[in-house]
Amino acid sequence: MMFEKLTDVGKQFRLKGQFYAYDTIKNGNINSTYKVTYKEDDGSLKSYIIQKINTSVFHNPEDIMENIDHVTEHIREHYPDEISLHFHHTADGKNYMYDDDGSFWRVMNYVDSITFDTCDDLAIISATGEAFGHFQMQLADFDGSILHETIPEFHNTHNRLDKLFDDVAANKLGRNESCEAEIEYISAVRYKAGQLSERYSNGDFPVRVTHNDTKANNVLFDRITKRPLVVIDLDTVMPGMAMYDFGDAVRFICNTAAEDEPDVRRVYFDTSKFRAFCKGYLGAVHGALTKDELDSLVLATFSITIELASRFLDDYLTGDKYFKVNYPGHNLIRTRTQIQLAKDIMRKHEELEWIVEETIKEHR
Ligand code: GN1
Ligand code: MG
């Protein structure tokens, strides 16, 4: 089935040669991603990435493609020597297609690379920080007002928490009972976690063009040199808070365990990894962030961790319709991991603040 679907999509995008093989790439919770390989006439193999966009999450997928066009064009123009993402076009000149079932597909060049989900190598963690800091810099002079808000209020933690507690109150599926401790914890930190996004809505922080999904596995690395090649997954590039991109990145990369680790005793926020990430990130943003933004990096880390806990929990309470789940209760497991991580961030917050301050001094 999938084989036929992928060959058909490949045909629409006029990929050259004979369909040779495909692989499913598993590191996303929303879209479906495949690596396909074609054998060209001269016998060489060429690979592409084919993606099916989840249209119940992205209601206007054509807007995503327009955003990506704008952003990659800007980067190509200002940083012509860097690798950028290339999307293929169909015969009618579009960089996407709908199939007969109404699914939305796109095709891009495959970049030979590796990605890291969890990683203990501090040099790679620092390079990940550098990649996201550099990305922030690349978009510093990009006019964010031309971008579509592909998911409105995506990182409005305050709203996310309101929605969670509305769904707790409704208890439609009767699942509250299985997560009372989690509901109680999030309720206790609700105002603290929503604070930055409220201040952002009030205009207290600069509106930046941000990535909004800065998980480590959204940076491609050179297999040999282990240097970052390019930041991918531009689906949620929108105006936002710089410190949330930082926070989301360290939430993921400083976690000693996977995002869905069932044994929470394995989940810690690793301060050495945090230090390594700060070094790369703060070095690359070159003092572009304001004092208010820098002062909020640690709170942003806590806030986005709670935001994600609340999104996973909300999805669990309302029937697992948003994030892909592999087993019943998967979203609850993810919630617990994020809560464990948030608690550890809280415990260590003075040390984390100190690391940020020291790293800033080093880059002055
Ligand atoms: C989703 O599917 P992926 O990995 O690109 C989600 C992010 C979450 C992440 C958690 C559009 O991203 O916000 O942080 O899962 N993307 C969307 O793993 O909701
Ligand atoms: Mg994503």
Side-chain angles (χ1 to χ4, degrees), residues 27-30 57-58 151 154 213 215 233 236 251 259 308 311-312 322-323:
N27 60 13
N29 296 325
I30 308 290
V57 167
F58 293 102
I151 303 181
F154 189 52
D213 189 12
K215 295 183 356 178
D233 189 357
T236 47
R251 169 192 75 73
E259 220 174 47
L308 208 63
R311 292 176 62 196
F312 287 145
Y322 189 94
F323 297 105

Side-chain angles (χ1 to χ4, degrees), residues 169-240:
N171 195 16
K172 266 199 191 124
L173 303 176
R175 288 187 176 177
N176 285 9
E177 224 174 78
S178 53
C179 51
E180 277 169 2
E182 288 75 19
I183 295 171
E184 196 182 318
Y185 176 75
I186 297 178
S187 157
V189 297
R190 179 175 180 181
Y191 291 100
K192 184 183 172 76
Q195 215 180 321
L196 287 179
S197 65
E198 255 209 299
R199 288 178 57 195
Y200 176 73
S201 306
N202 294 336
D204 287 357
F205 295 109
V207 178
R208 308 275 187 186
V209 178
T210 47
H211 182 280
N212 294 307
D213 189 12
T214 48
K215 295 183 356 178
N217 55 24
N218 280 332
V219 180
L220 303 185
F221 281 86
D222 186 291
R223 282 182 195 281
I224 296 162
T225 64
K226 304 288 186 330
R227 290 290 303 151
L229 297 173
V230 61
V231 169
I232 59 165
D233 189 357
L234 306 181
D235 299 339
T236 47
V237 172
M238 286 179 282

Side-chain angles (χ1 to χ4, degrees), residues 108-204:
M108 61 186 139
N109 275 359
Y110 173 75
V111 178
D112 185 42
S113 56
I114 37 170
T115 55
F116 300 94
D117 288 318
T118 49
C119 164
D120 292 323
D121 184 335
L122 297 183
I124 288 171
I125 292 172
S126 187
T128 307
E130 203 184 315
F132 285 126
H134 181 60
F135 185 81
Q136 181 67 76
M137 278 306 294
Q138 286 181 317
L139 296 181
D141 57 350
F142 176 82
D143 176 13
S145 68
I146 63 171
L147 294 176
H148 300 282
E149 217 178 327
T150 49
I151 303 181
E153 305 292 332
F154 189 52
H155 282 321
N156 187 331
T157 311
H158 187 80
N159 283 7
R160 295 273 190 188
L161 289 162
D162 283 355
K163 162 124 186 7
L164 170 68
F165 287 102
D166 285 350
D167 290 328
V168 166
N171 195 16
K172 266 199 191 124
L173 303 176
R175 288 187 176 177
N176 285 9
E177 224 174 78
S178 53
C179 51
E180 277 169 2
E182 288 75 19
I183 295 171
E184 196 182 318
Y185 176 75
I186 297 178
S187 157
V189 297
R190 179 175 180 181
Y191 291 100
K192 184 183 172 76
Q195 215 180 321
L196 287 179
S197 65
E198 255 209 299
R199 288 178 57 195
Y200 176 73
S201 306
N202 294 336
D204 287 357

